[in-house]
Amino acid sequence: MKKTVLVVVATAVLVSACTTTDPYTGDQKISNTAAGVGLGALAGAGVGLLAGGNDRRNALIGAGIGALAGGAIGATMDQNEAELRRQLEGTGVSVTRTGDQIILNMPSDITFNVDQDAVKPGFYPVLNSVALVLKKFKQTTVDVFGHTDSTGSAEYNFDLSQRRALAVANYLSGQGVDSRRFAVTGFGKTRPIASNATTEGRAQNRRVEIQLSPLT
């Protein structure tokens, strides 16, 4: 299946993004290669997401960003967490720590208008704060996940979740965060965190998540 998405990095480029199916979960997702083309197309040769997790890691280390090891892993993620909590307090974005990973949950009602994939201008300052932290602590990879509620078709929700995740990643890249750190995945309605039977539950399920992992 082919998706055509509009990605902006300093200016607009049109890319045709191939989607793939996870062999373990059956989830559809944008391929890492396609995401990298969109995020890094105008940043120069060799810049942009490569084909897989090891390629992303190798590209960053090859660019001179040192990998973390031993006690430095936990210490660096502790610093990331503390700074993110300070920057995002009172914004409506939650910060969750799971082991050495940090997840930022961005509810769609504060991030996007209904059925739209353009980030609300009022949310720019929040993403600017996230970008400041990402640029300060460069030794992390950044996965951006898009999710929807169960309203509408699977195809529609997958496409919307993918475009919203791309919009967030693209905005952060536009603020100077190295695009090689990003991977973008749209999950549609396949990963709810609350019941879709209630208005409140559906609101929780409509979200974009940013997952930070240490570069090791």
Side-chain angles (χ1 to χ4, degrees), residues 101-154:
Q101 292 183 323
I102 299 170
I103 297 176
L104 310 180
N105 186 331
M106 302 179 172
S108 68
D109 60 339
I110 63 174
T111 316
F112 301 96
N113 289 320
V114 176
D115 289 336
Q116 300 298 309
D117 58 19
V119 177
K120 288 182 178 181
F123 197 67
Y124 291 169
V126 177
L127 290 180
N128 291 343
S129 296
V130 173
L132 286 174
V133 179
L134 294 180
K135 288 187 290 185
K136 182 176 180 180
F137 301 103
K138 302 179 186 297
Q139 293 167 299
T140 59
T141 55
V142 186
D143 290 274
V144 187
F145 304 133
H147 304 273
T148 68
D149 62 26
S150 63
T151 306
S153 70

Side-chain angles (χ1 to χ4, degrees), residues 27-87:
D27 294 328
Q28 287 184 304
K29 59 179 70 177
I30 186 171
S31 69
N32 285 345
T33 301
V37 170
L39 290 170
L42 299 184
V47 177
L49 196 60
L50 300 177
N54 287 335
D55 286 336
R56 179 165 43 154
R57 170 186 174 277
N58 293 339
L60 292 169
I61 292 175
I65 300 175
L68 297 167
I73 297 173
T76 298
M77 299 313 289
D78 287 345
Q79 294 172 343
N80 270 271
E81 180 186 7
E83 186 68 13
L84 285 165
R85 290 190 184 280
R86 186 179 72 82
Q87 292 280 357

